[in-house]
Amino acid sequence: MLKKILGVKIDDISKNQALDLVSSWLSQKKGLGPKSKIIVTLGPEFLVTAQKNDGFKKILNSADLSLPDGFGLHLAGVKNRVTGIDFMLKLCEVSGENNWTVGLLGGWQGAAHETASELIKRYPNINIAIKIDGHQADRVLTSLKIPPVDLLFVAFGHPRQEKLLFDLKGQFRVGMGVGGAFDYISGQVPMAPAFFKFLGLEWC
């Protein structure tokens, strides 16, 4: 169900519904160009930034899927919650089964490579075609060119990662901004305990 909060659209859907949608995009005949799809993971901090940055608000509203990530969105009537890191991991899990290529771009020093190693341990069939750490990303940011992939995860934090995804559009089939996900998956930053996550108090 599509909702709007402070002028920003949110797709109030479950993780399974989101997975079905993304799978339907990637099951179509391979092609890049205008068929590239962008996923954003909305939290309250995105809404705050969007009120001060009209360009960022336009980017959010032109995304193909806006996942309700932040716990605080419940207070505005959003029923579902799909955290960026959980959805990224689910997409990585099923990527090998579907022969989807994966790209990792961003994170702290070494995070993309360490995340790739961890993902391969968890999902041996995953095909990681790109792994570029944040401190090595200057050539991408300058040239705005990457090898084409099916799934591109960009971890620079908002609004930078969302703008970069739109700048790179046409070089991936589905792109998603994942904030600090690489740092958590790689173990550089500890995950919040399950109890805090249940209360919506995690720092992820």
Side-chain angles (χ1 to χ4, degrees):
M1 179 184 296
L2 183 63
K3 294 186 177 179
K4 270 205 169 186
I5 299 176
L6 297 177
V8 177
K9 73 170 187 176
I10 299 174
D11 294 293
D12 192 2
I13 61 177
S14 69
K15 182 167 71 173
N16 286 338
Q17 289 172 319
L19 181 61
D20 287 344
L21 178 59
V22 174
S23 297
S24 73
W25 293 340
L26 291 171
S27 67
Q28 297 171 6
K29 184 177 180 180
K30 285 199 175 186
L32 300 174
K35 294 185 179 179
S36 296
K37 304 286 189 180
I38 292 179
I39 304 170
V40 296
T41 55
L42 289 174
E45 70 279 9
F46 280 63
L47 300 179
V48 171
T49 301
Q51 303 315 299
K52 305 173 184 177
N53 186 330
D54 286 338
F56 183 52
K57 181 184 286 188
K58 289 178 181 177
I59 286 175
L60 294 180
N61 285 327
S62 61
D64 299 281
L65 177 60
S66 301
L67 294 176
D69 188 329
F71 183 83
L73 297 178
H74 284 295
L75 301 176
V78 176
K79 295 181 179 180
N80 291 282
R81 188 181 184 210
V82 184
T83 66
I85 188 169
D86 286 344
F87 196 60
M88 174 187 168
L89 289 173
K90 188 61 181 178
L91 288 174
C92 288
E93 179 185 350
V94 302
S95 67
E97 304 166 7
N98 293 278
N99 297 315
W100 300 335
T101 54
V102 174
L104 306 174
L105 173 60
W108 289 358
Q109 184 168 339
H113 282 73
E114 292 176 20
T115 296
S117 298
E118 180 61 29
L119 291 173
I120 291 169
K121 290 178 186 176
R122 298 189 192 190
Y123 318 117
N125 293 326
I126 192 172
N127 180 3
I128 299 177
I130 302 173
K131 43 187 176 181
I132 303 174
D133 296 315
H135 72 292
Q136 298 175 324
D138 286 346
R139 65 184 185 275
V140 174
L141 300 176
T142 300
S143 67
L144 295 177
K145 289 184 179 180
I146 58 170
V149 290
D150 294 315
L151 281 167
L152 177 64
F153 299 107
V154 180
F156 283 116
H158 84 287
R160 188 184 182 196
Q161 63 193 12
E162 287 74 27
K163 183 180 185 304
L164 181 58
L165 279 168
F166 271 84
D167 289 340
L168 293 173
K169 199 167 185 178
Q171 301 176 67
F172 56 83
R173 299 181 70 200
V174 175
M176 177 177 170
V178 294
F182 293 3
D183 303 319
Y184 296 103
I185 295 170
S186 66
Q188 290 193 10
V189 176
M191 291 287 289
F195 177 69
F196 285 89
K197 293 183 74 175
F198 174 77
L199 293 177
L201 299 175
E202 74 274 19
W203 44 88
C204 171

PDB file of all heavy atoms in Angstrom, residues 87-106:
ATOM      1  N   PHE A  87      16.781  -7.075   4.299  1.00  0.00           N
ATOM      2  CA  PHE A  87      16.365  -7.269   2.911  1.00  0.00           C
ATOM      3  C   PHE A  87      17.571  -7.502   2.006  1.00  0.00           C
ATOM      4  O   PHE A  87      17.520  -8.332   1.094  1.00  0.00           O
ATOM      5  CB  PHE A  87      15.558  -6.065   2.420  1.00  0.00           C
ATOM      6  CG  PHE A  87      14.793  -6.340   1.163  1.00  0.00           C
ATOM      7  CD1 PHE A  87      13.833  -7.342   1.114  1.00  0.00           C
ATOM      8  CD2 PHE A  87      15.029  -5.610   0.010  1.00  0.00           C
ATOM      9  CE1 PHE A  87      13.119  -7.612  -0.047  1.00  0.00           C
ATOM     10  CE2 PHE A  87      14.325  -5.862  -1.162  1.00  0.00           C
ATOM     11  CZ  PHE A  87      13.373  -6.877  -1.188  1.00  0.00           C
ATOM     12  N   MET A  88      18.662  -6.823   2.284  1.00  0.00           N
ATOM     13  CA  MET A  88      19.888  -7.072   1.521  1.00  0.00           C
ATOM     14  C   MET A  88      20.326  -8.519   1.674  1.00  0.00           C
ATOM     15  O   MET A  88      20.662  -9.193   0.688  1.00  0.00           O
ATOM     16  CB  MET A  88      21.000  -6.135   1.992  1.00  0.00           C
ATOM     17  CG  MET A  88      22.339  -6.440   1.345  1.00  0.00           C
ATOM     18  SD  MET A  88      23.703  -5.465   2.038  1.00  0.00           S
ATOM     19  CE  MET A  88      25.095  -6.344   1.311  1.00  0.00           C
ATOM     20  N   LEU A  89      20.340  -9.018   2.896  1.00  0.00           N
ATOM     21  CA  LEU A  89      20.768 -10.400   3.138  1.00  0.00           C
ATOM     22  C   LEU A  89      19.845 -11.399   2.450  1.00  0.00           C
ATOM     23  O   LEU A  89      20.296 -12.422   1.917  1.00  0.00           O
ATOM     24  CB  LEU A  89      20.839 -10.677   4.640  1.00  0.00           C
ATOM     25  CG  LEU A  89      21.983  -9.981   5.383  1.00  0.00           C
ATOM     26  CD1 LEU A  89      21.857 -10.195   6.881  1.00  0.00           C
ATOM     27  CD2 LEU A  89      23.339 -10.481   4.888  1.00  0.00           C
ATOM     28  N   LYS A  90      18.548 -11.111   2.453  1.00  0.00           N
ATOM     29  CA  LYS A  90      17.610 -12.017   1.787  1.00  0.00           C
ATOM     30  C   LYS A  90      17.866 -12.032   0.283  1.00  0.00           C
ATOM     31  O   LYS A  90      17.852 -13.105  -0.345  1.00  0.00           O
ATOM     32  CB  LYS A  90      16.165 -11.591   2.075  1.00  0.00           C
ATOM     33  CG  LYS A  90      15.130 -12.595   1.570  1.00  0.00           C
ATOM     34  CD  LYS A  90      15.309 -13.956   2.246  1.00  0.00           C
ATOM     35  CE  LYS A  90      14.314 -14.983   1.742  1.00  0.00           C
ATOM     36  NZ  LYS A  90      14.535 -16.310   2.365  1.00  0.00           N
ATOM     37  N   LEU A  91      18.097 -10.870  -0.309  1.00  0.00           N
ATOM     38  CA  LEU A  91      18.388 -10.817  -1.734  1.00  0.00           C
ATOM     39  C   LEU A  91      19.685 -11.560  -2.054  1.00  0.00           C
ATOM     40  O   LEU A  91      19.780 -12.267  -3.063  1.00  0.00           O
ATOM     41  CB  LEU A  91      18.488  -9.370  -2.202  1.00  0.00           C
ATOM     42  CG  LEU A  91      17.175  -8.589  -2.278  1.00  0.00           C
ATOM     43  CD1 LEU A  91      17.445  -7.122  -2.619  1.00  0.00           C
ATOM     44  CD2 LEU A  91      16.228  -9.195  -3.312  1.00  0.00           C
ATOM     45  N   CYS A  92      20.688 -11.414  -1.180  1.00  0.00           N
ATOM     46  CA  CYS A  92      21.941 -12.139  -1.386  1.00  0.00           C
ATOM     47  C   CYS A  92      21.718 -13.648  -1.269  1.00  0.00           C
ATOM     48  O   CYS A  92      22.305 -14.435  -2.025  1.00  0.00           O
ATOM     49  CB  CYS A  92      22.980 -11.686  -0.365  1.00  0.00           C
ATOM     50  SG  CYS A  92      23.633 -10.024  -0.668  1.00  0.00           S
ATOM     51  N   GLU A  93      20.878 -14.050  -0.334  1.00  0.00           N
ATOM     52  CA  GLU A  93      20.594 -15.474  -0.145  1.00  0.00           C
ATOM     53  C   GLU A  93      20.005 -16.105  -1.407  1.00  0.00           C
ATOM     54  O   GLU A  93      20.401 -17.201  -1.810  1.00  0.00           O
ATOM     55  CB  GLU A  93      19.626 -15.660   1.024  1.00  0.00           C
ATOM     56  CG  GLU A  93      19.239 -17.110   1.279  1.00  0.00           C
ATOM     57  CD  GLU A  93      18.183 -17.248   2.362  1.00  0.00           C
ATOM     58  OE1 GLU A  93      17.886 -16.252   3.051  1.00  0.00           O
ATOM     59  OE2 GLU A  93      17.651 -18.368   2.519  1.00  0.00           O
ATOM     60  N   VAL A  94      19.061 -15.415  -2.020  1.00  0.00           N
ATOM     61  CA  VAL A  94      18.384 -15.991  -3.194  1.00  0.00           C
ATOM     62  C   VAL A  94      19.108 -15.685  -4.495  1.00  0.00           C
ATOM     63  O   VAL A  94      18.758 -16.250  -5.537  1.00  0.00           O
ATOM     64  CB  VAL A  94      16.917 -15.509  -3.274  1.00  0.00           C
ATOM     65  CG1 VAL A  94      16.157 -15.871  -2.011  1.00  0.00           C
ATOM     66  CG2 VAL A  94      16.829 -14.011  -3.530  1.00  0.00           C
ATOM     67  N   SER A  95      20.125 -14.823  -4.451  1.00  0.00           N
ATOM     68  CA  SER A  95      20.808 -14.444  -5.688  1.00  0.00           C
ATOM     69  C   SER A  95      21.483 -15.636  -6.354  1.00  0.00           C
ATOM     70  O   SER A  95      21.453 -15.779  -7.583  1.00  0.00           O
ATOM     71  CB  SER A  95      21.833 -13.338  -5.423  1.00  0.00           C
ATOM     72  OG  SER A  95      22.903 -13.813  -4.612  1.00  0.00           O
ATOM     73  N   GLY A  96      22.118 -16.492  -5.542  1.00  0.00           N
ATOM     74  CA  GLY A  96      22.802 -17.650  -6.103  1.00  0.00           C
ATOM     75  C   GLY A  96      21.856 -18.622  -6.765  1.00  0.00           C
ATOM     76  O   GLY A  96      22.176 -19.216  -7.805  1.00  0.00           O
ATOM     77  N   GLU A  97      20.678 -18.781  -6.180  1.00  0.00           N
ATOM     78  CA  GLU A  97      19.680 -19.697  -6.730  1.00  0.00           C
ATOM     79  C   GLU A  97      19.180 -19.204  -8.087  1.00  0.00           C
ATOM     80  O   GLU A  97      18.716 -19.997  -8.908  1.00  0.00           O
ATOM     81  CB  GLU A  97      18.486 -19.819  -5.772  1.00  0.00           C
ATOM     82  CG  GLU A  97      18.869 -20.253  -4.354  1.00  0.00           C
ATOM     83  CD  GLU A  97      17.731 -20.038  -3.370  1.00  0.00           C
ATOM     84  OE1 GLU A  97      16.615 -19.672  -3.821  1.00  0.00           O
ATOM     85  OE2 GLU A  97      17.961 -20.216  -2.165  1.00  0.00           O
ATOM     86  N   ASN A  98      19.268 -17.889  -8.302  1.00  0.00           N
ATOM     87  CA  ASN A  98      18.718 -17.291  -9.519  1.00  0.00           C
ATOM     88  C   ASN A  98      19.786 -16.782 -10.488  1.00  0.00           C
ATOM     89  O   ASN A  98      19.457 -16.144 -11.486  1.00  0.00           O
ATOM     90  CB  ASN A  98      17.788 -16.131  -9.137  1.00  0.00           C
ATOM     91  CG  ASN A  98      16.550 -16.599  -8.410  1.00  0.00           C
ATOM     92  OD1 ASN A  98      15.587 -17.033  -9.021  1.00  0.00           O
ATOM     93  ND2 ASN A  98      16.573 -16.517  -7.079  1.00  0.00           N
ATOM     94  N   ASN A  99      21.053 -17.062 -10.173  1.00  0.00           N
ATOM     95  CA  ASN A  99      22.171 -16.624 -11.027  1.00  0.00           C
ATOM     96  C   ASN A  99      22.227 -15.104 -11.193  1.00  0.00           C
ATOM     97  O   ASN A  99      22.575 -14.603 -12.272  1.00  0.00           O
ATOM     98  CB  ASN A  99      22.095 -17.294 -12.402  1.00  0.00           C
ATOM     99  CG  ASN A  99      22.242 -18.805 -12.320  1.00  0.00           C
ATOM    100  OD1 ASN A  99      23.116 -19.304 -11.613  1.00  0.00           O
ATOM    101  ND2 ASN A  99      21.381 -19.532 -13.019  1.00  0.00           N
ATOM    102  N   TRP A 100      21.889 -14.366 -10.130  1.00  0.00           N
ATOM    103  CA  TRP A 100      21.998 -12.917 -10.171  1.00  0.00           C
ATOM    104  C   TRP A 100      23.409 -12.516  -9.747  1.00  0.00           C
ATOM    105  O   TRP A 100      23.928 -13.005  -8.748  1.00  0.00           O
ATOM    106  CB  TRP A 100      21.008 -12.255  -9.217  1.00  0.00           C
ATOM    107  CG  TRP A 100      19.568 -12.549  -9.496  1.00  0.00           C
ATOM    108  CD1 TRP A 100      19.001 -12.901 -10.682  1.00  0.00           C
ATOM    109  CD2 TRP A 100      18.491 -12.522  -8.540  1.00  0.00           C
ATOM    110  NE1 TRP A 100      17.653 -13.085 -10.539  1.00  0.00           N
ATOM    111  CE2 TRP A 100      17.305 -12.865  -9.237  1.00  0.00           C
ATOM    112  CE3 TRP A 100      18.415 -12.238  -7.174  1.00  0.00           C
ATOM    113  CZ2 TRP A 100      16.056 -12.931  -8.603  1.00  0.00           C
ATOM    114  CZ3 TRP A 100      17.174 -12.301  -6.543  1.00  0.00           C
ATOM    115  CH2 TRP A 100      16.014 -12.640  -7.256  1.00  0.00           C
ATOM    116  N   THR A 101      24.036 -11.627 -10.490  1.00  0.00           N
ATOM    117  CA  THR A 101      25.338 -11.111 -10.089  1.00  0.00           C
ATOM    118  C   THR A 101      25.146  -9.974  -9.088  1.00  0.00           C
ATOM    119  O   THR A 101      24.167  -9.230  -9.150  1.00  0.00           O
ATOM    120  CB  THR A 101      26.132 -10.603 -11.299  1.00  0.00           C
ATOM    121  OG1 THR A 101      25.338  -9.654 -12.030  1.00  0.00           O
ATOM    122  CG2 THR A 101      26.516 -11.762 -12.215  1.00  0.00           C
ATOM    123  N   VAL A 102      26.098  -9.850  -8.158  1.00  0.00           N
ATOM    124  CA  VAL A 102      25.991  -8.895  -7.048  1.00  0.00           C
ATOM    125  C   VAL A 102      27.188  -7.957  -7.061  1.00  0.00           C
ATOM    126  O   VAL A 102      28.323  -8.372  -7.308  1.00  0.00           O
ATOM    127  CB  VAL A 102      25.926  -9.642  -5.704  1.00  0.00           C
ATOM    128  CG1 VAL A 102      25.964  -8.665  -4.526  1.00  0.00           C
ATOM    129  CG2 VAL A 102      24.671 -10.513  -5.636  1.00  0.00           C
ATOM    130  N   GLY A 103      26.920  -6.678  -6.779  1.00  0.00           N
ATOM    131  CA  GLY A 103      27.979  -5.691  -6.634  1.00  0.00           C
ATOM    132  C   GLY A 103      27.908  -5.026  -5.276  1.00  0.00           C
ATOM    133  O   GLY A 103      26.818  -4.736  -4.777  1.00  0.00           O
ATOM    134  N   LEU A 104      29.076  -4.799  -4.656  1.00  0.00           N
ATOM    135  CA  LEU A 104      29.171  -4.140  -3.359  1.00  0.00           C
ATOM    136  C   LEU A 104      30.036  -2.890  -3.520  1.00  0.00           C
ATOM    137  O   LEU A 104      31.193  -2.985  -3.941  1.00  0.00           O
ATOM    138  CB  LEU A 104      29.807  -5.064  -2.315  1.00  0.00           C
ATOM    139  CG  LEU A 104      29.164  -6.442  -2.130  1.00  0.00           C
ATOM    140  CD1 LEU A 104      30.005  -7.289  -1.169  1.00  0.00           C
ATOM    141  CD2 LEU A 104      27.744  -6.313  -1.597  1.00  0.00           C
ATOM    142  N   LEU A 105      29.497  -1.731  -3.152  1.00  0.00           N
ATOM    143  CA  LEU A 105      30.201  -0.466  -3.330  1.00  0.00           C
ATOM    144  C   LEU A 105      30.033   0.387  -2.083  1.00  0.00           C
ATOM    145  O   LEU A 105      28.906   0.724  -1.703  1.00  0.00           O
ATOM    146  CB  LEU A 105      29.652   0.272  -4.559  1.00  0.00           C
ATOM    147  CG  LEU A 105      30.140   1.693  -4.823  1.00  0.00           C
ATOM    148  CD1 LEU A 105      31.650   1.725  -5.029  1.00  0.00           C
ATOM    149  CD2 LEU A 105      29.418   2.289  -6.031  1.00  0.00           C
ATOM    150  N   GLY A 106      31.159   0.711  -1.418  1.00  0.00           N
ATOM    151  CA  GLY A 106      31.099   1.622  -0.284  1.00  0.00           C
ATOM    152  C   GLY A 106      31.534   0.993   1.020  1.00  0.00           C
ATOM    153  O   GLY A 106      32.254  -0.001   1.063  1.00  0.00           O
TER     154      GLY A 106
END
